[in-house]
Amino acid sequence: QVHLVESGGGLVQAGGSLGLSCAASGNFFRIIAMGWERQAPGKERELVATINAGGGRNYADSVKDRFRITRDNAMNTLYLQMNNLKPEDTAVYYCNARLYSDQRTWGDYWGQGTQVTVSS
């Protein structure tokens, strides 16, 4: 059983900052990559940022230069620092992990989501 638990969402004014974290726990062999996705009301879920085991990062164009994804491998914890937030960043943010549950079997897991609301 794998659990991803996000925290850190909330309400912030445009131009402000928020930090999200995601802790992975349970029985698994190795994390391959982690990332953040978000879903705004009435819109499809979109990828925000990813980070692989080697530290390679990718960002959606809409958040480049404003968001930063980091990862604490020892603690199996993922972070997302969001700066210069805009109302269009309002969404439920989901943590995602691709991991090996054993030496051969891998899968994708998601957290329950945390709400981020940016007021104008």
Side-chain angles (χ1 to χ4, degrees), residues 2-6 21-34 36 51 53 70-79 95-100:
V2 176
H3 298 281
L4 300 177
V5 179
E6 302 103 334
S21 62
C22 170
S25 63
N27 295 318
F28 55 88
F29 180 66
R30 179 170 64 88
I31 295 176
I32 301 168
M34 299 184 79
W36 293 95
I51 184 168
T70 56
R71 177 176 158 183
D72 183 334
N73 289 333
M75 299 298 293
N76 293 320
T77 303
L78 180 71
Y79 303 95
C95 172
N96 162 255
R98 174 163 290 181
L99 54 84
Y100 279 98

Side-chain angles (χ1 to χ4, degrees), residues 72-94:
D72 183 334
N73 289 333
M75 299 298 293
N76 293 320
T77 303
L78 180 71
Y79 303 95
L80 185 69
Q81 179 62 39
M82 304 182 292
N83 299 320
N84 189 22
L85 282 159
K86 304 176 180 181
E88 52 263 42
D89 294 318
T90 295
V92 178
Y93 283 70
Y94 298 91

Side-chain angles (χ1 to χ4, degrees), residues 6-64:
E6 302 103 334
S7 60
L11 173 65
V12 65
Q13 288 189 333
S17 298
L18 273 179
L20 305 181
S21 62
C22 170
S25 63
N27 295 318
F28 55 88
F29 180 66
R30 179 170 64 88
I31 295 176
I32 301 168
M34 299 184 79
W36 293 95
E37 300 173 353
R38 68 185 181 186
Q39 187 165 21
K43 294 189 177 181
E44 293 186 356
R45 189 176 294 197
E46 63 173 349
L47 188 65
V48 175
T50 62
I51 184 168
N52 61 29
R57 299 175 175 90
N58 282 295
Y59 296 93
D61 288 342
S62 59
V63 306
K64 276 181 183 177

